[in-house]
Amino acid sequence: MSTFATRFVFLMTMVFAGAACERPAHAVQIDAGGQGQVLIYPYYTVHQGKQTLLSIINTSDLAQVLQVTFREALNGRSALQFRIWLGRKDVWTGTVFALADDGIASDGAGVLTRDSTCTTPVFATGSLTSGGARYFPLGNGNYSGVMSDGGPTELGRARHGWIEVISLATLFGLPANAMAINFSNGMPYNCGVLTTGIVNQSNSASPRGGLSGAVSIIRVQAGVVLSSRAEALSGFTGISLYNDAMQPAPDLSSVNEGMPGGAVSAMVVDELGRNQVLTYGATGSGSRPIDAVSAVLMATRVKNEYQIASSIGGSTDWVVTMPTKPFYTDPALVGVFNTSFPPFEEPFAAPGNSRICAPYRLFNQDQRELAPPHADCVFVAVGPIPSPVLPSQFVTLYQSANVVPFKSQSWPSPNQTSVFAAPGPPRAIPPDVPWHVLPWVGTAGWMEMNLATIQRNHRLPASAEGKLLSGLPVVGYSASNIVNGNVSNGVLANYGSAVRHVTTVACSKASDGSPCD
């Protein structure tokens, strides 16, 4: 064969091989660069004097209108929702704070901002803090009264949770010009015209992405800052999600490709390092579009470090948030009472939880395994955990946004976590299963949490390609605090860190259980 012919065959082989592995034109996926159409902030809290600082950045050259939703921790019900009209290269910042910390007689929380960026409703119409900033309170209307879901109904339920930001549309012309900043005074040109009827097909289009963000949880009195990046999803929507009425409000189930048929593709890298394209939500497939969002967040195993050494005042909490869980466990979204959909095992119900079994393995810093896991959790109706199952062998995730504390053997069992002071989850009294990790040996190391227990069917429905993902959809990080009392006489130093979880996901063929190609 001639040199030319050899090169031609080689090139054509590479072309066809590349075509076989080429990514689909539109697929929802986690953006490795941290920019997308959707941002998920794993955790906010105002417990024990803490404040949560939030930033949203539009890194693109196009104006966008965004929907921001604060979701309470137990069941992911919306506690506050508003729109931000974010111009090109613009940033919006806000702070979540406890109302009582500002002298307001309430156990609730609020969101304040001093940012001039246009919002709907307008923050200038909100209540006034003692420092002169305007705020909106987080409300309980979506989980109390006729909207009660069996959990607590007080305002304090929304003192912690997670935040969801969705780009609704890209804007041009009149709305883009109105929301642009006038550099002569640092204010938008005309927020007042951003009212019903201004956005139409001629001046809007599907979101282009480019959103990024970060969140910092601060306790001023202790001098501790715990910062983390928002998870960004690209390929979330191929159409504009904007509507004047703001209802029904888009959510994570609004994922789409903008094509007839309703099917949505997800791009996932499995534990073998292979790109998997999985399609969900086609009519009659047995799956739903929300499964595509769950797929990109799926984790068979969650791995991270912990530090609880008393010699350095160490303490660790893990944040394990499941942003899509309500679509599988909340009766109001599932549509069937006392039923949950895989990969989750229990519906949300009184006293305000939906339990998930999570066995784990603990290792110290010298390869030693500290607590081999039991084969599966043992849920009992009430009372002590039966022998021979040890509390150190599994942990129970009760909520949509979970804070799992690591406790020392001398722990007196206060009903709050070590780092974030998050309250213990609503559960049976006396407790039926543990919600904390208790390393029996060793004070520092790492943990592998298994979210794919076979007995509990932690698997998504099969994709159109006949592939199964095992585990649960999670985001989060390990937050550690260290106290140094030896800086100098009378000086106490605190240090904090937040490290994103490492996750892997197993993909298998529905036909025979073998690994996906």
Side-chain angles (χ1 to χ4, degrees):
M1 183 180 292
S2 69
T3 301
F4 173 80
T6 302
R7 289 179 178 173
F8 178 79
V9 171
F10 173 77
L11 288 172
M12 292 307 295
T13 301
M14 294 303 293
V15 167
F16 287 115
C21 300
E22 186 178 357
R23 296 189 177 197
H26 190 98
V28 62
Q29 56 195 288
I30 292 180
D31 189 272
Q35 300 180 89
Q37 297 173 322
V38 171
L39 300 177
I40 299 171
Y41 298 76
Y43 192 59
Y44 76 84
T45 182
V46 300
H47 286 297
Q48 205 175 72
K50 295 178 177 63
Q51 296 181 356
T52 301
L53 278 61
L54 164 73
S55 67
I56 305 171
I57 308 172
N58 179 10
T59 68
S60 76
D61 286 317
L62 300 169
Q64 302 188 55
V65 55
L66 321 176
Q67 175 183 280
V68 181
T69 307
F70 288 78
R71 298 193 177 277
E72 52 80 27
L74 300 189
N75 194 22
R77 295 282 179 96
S78 172
L80 176 65
Q81 192 169 84
F82 55 91
R83 287 179 174 176
I84 299 176
W85 303 79
L86 202 59
R88 60 179 297 275
K89 308 299 185 185
D90 199 4
V91 180
W92 183 88
T93 59
T95 300
V96 193
F97 69 104
L99 299 182
D101 290 346
D102 193 55
I104 301 167
S106 172
D107 67 344
V111 177
L112 67 82
T113 184
R114 297 181 184 274
D115 201 296
S116 61
T117 300
C118 303
T119 64
T120 304
V122 180
F123 265 83
T125 65
S127 302
L128 195 65
T129 67
S130 60
R134 295 286 181 174
Y135 76 91
F136 290 143
L138 274 66
N140 60 351
N142 286 322
Y143 56 83
S144 64
V146 296
M147 297 296 292
S148 176
D149 57 6
T153 60
E154 67 273 9
L155 289 171
R157 172 169 159 177
R159 288 168 64 90
H160 68 156
W162 81 94
I163 307 163
E164 169 189 294
V165 177
I166 299 176
S167 179
L168 304 178
T170 299
L171 302 176
F172 311 95
L174 181 58
N177 294 334
M179 61 201 284
I181 299 296
N182 182 345
F183 294 128
S184 65
N185 60 13
M187 301 294 292
Y189 277 100
N190 192 353
C191 290
V193 303
L194 298 173
T195 56
T196 300
I198 190 173
V199 176
N200 54 54
Q201 291 184 350
S202 67
N203 59 30
S204 65
S206 61
R208 304 293 175 85
L211 298 181
S212 67
V215 62
S216 296
I217 297 174
I218 298 176
R219 187 179 181 194
V220 176
Q221 300 90 330
V224 176
V225 179
L226 294 164
S227 298
S228 62
R229 189 185 78 179
E231 292 287 354
L233 305 184
S234 58
F236 180 79
T237 177
I239 62 173
S240 170
L241 298 176
Y242 180 87
N243 67 79
D244 284 332
M246 299 179 66
Q247 294 295 334
D251 54 33
L252 293 181
S253 70
S254 303
V255 62
N256 70 86
E257 294 185 3
M259 302 293 289
V264 181
S265 296
M267 173 64 71
V268 177
V269 179
D270 68 17
E271 62 184 0
L272 300 178
R274 299 176 177 179
N275 285 333
Q276 302 292 342
V277 179
L278 306 105
T279 307
Y280 301 94
T283 303
S285 66
S287 63
R288 300 175 294 161
I290 188 63
D291 295 332
V293 180
S294 294
V296 303
L297 303 177
M298 283 290 279
T300 306
R301 294 175 180 84
V302 179
K303 307 169 189 178
N304 217 324
E305 298 181 68
Y306 71 92
Q307 172 63 262
I308 58 172
S310 59
S311 59
I312 59 172
S315 56
T316 297
D317 286 351
W318 273 25
V319 171
V320 182
T321 297
M322 305 176 189
T324 60
K325 182 181 179 182
F327 298 97
Y328 301 84
T329 62
D330 186 343
L333 297 177
V334 171
V336 182
F337 180 72
N338 204 31
T339 299
S340 62
F341 293 159
F344 294 93
E345 57 196 89
E346 285 189 350
F348 188 89
N353 64 59
S354 169
R355 299 177 301 180
I356 293 168
C357 166
Y360 58 77
R361 301 175 70 184
L362 282 169
F363 299 87
N364 66 12
Q365 296 173 334
D366 297 309
Q367 299 182 326
R368 181 180 178 186
E369 186 164 1
L370 303 180
H374 191 266
D376 194 19
C377 302
V378 176
F379 288 163
V380 294
V382 72
I385 300 167
S387 179
V389 180
L390 298 175
S392 61
Q393 293 177 317
F394 68 90
V395 67
T396 304
L397 306 175
Y398 287 85
Q399 306 176 170
S400 289
N402 301 273
V403 181
V404 180
F406 285 70
K407 299 295 185 181
S408 67
Q409 295 183 50
S410 60
W411 179 48
S413 300
N415 197 32
Q416 66 179 37
T417 69
S418 306
V419 177
F420 292 118
R427 53 190 182 148
I429 302 297
D432 52 349
V433 284
W435 67 286
H436 62 275
V437 176
L438 184 61
W440 294 101
V441 181
T443 56
W446 68 282
M447 183 174 80
E448 178 185 87
M449 183 182 289
N450 180 10
L451 298 180
T453 52
I454 297 175
Q455 295 90 332
R456 307 210 175 248
N457 194 29
H458 291 176
R459 296 189 301 185
L460 276 178
S463 71
E465 297 79 12
K467 299 177 180 180
L468 294 168
L469 296 182
S470 299
L472 296 170
V474 303
V475 296
Y477 53 85
S478 173
S480 294
N481 189 45
I482 295 174
V483 180
N484 185 352
N486 300 311
V487 177
S488 63
N489 290 335
V491 176
L492 185 67
N494 292 275
Y495 314 97
S497 66
V499 180
R500 185 173 179 241
H501 292 319
V502 173
T503 61
T504 56
V505 60
C507 180
S508 60
K509 298 177 182 178
S511 57
D512 58 12
S514 63
C516 297
D517 297 328

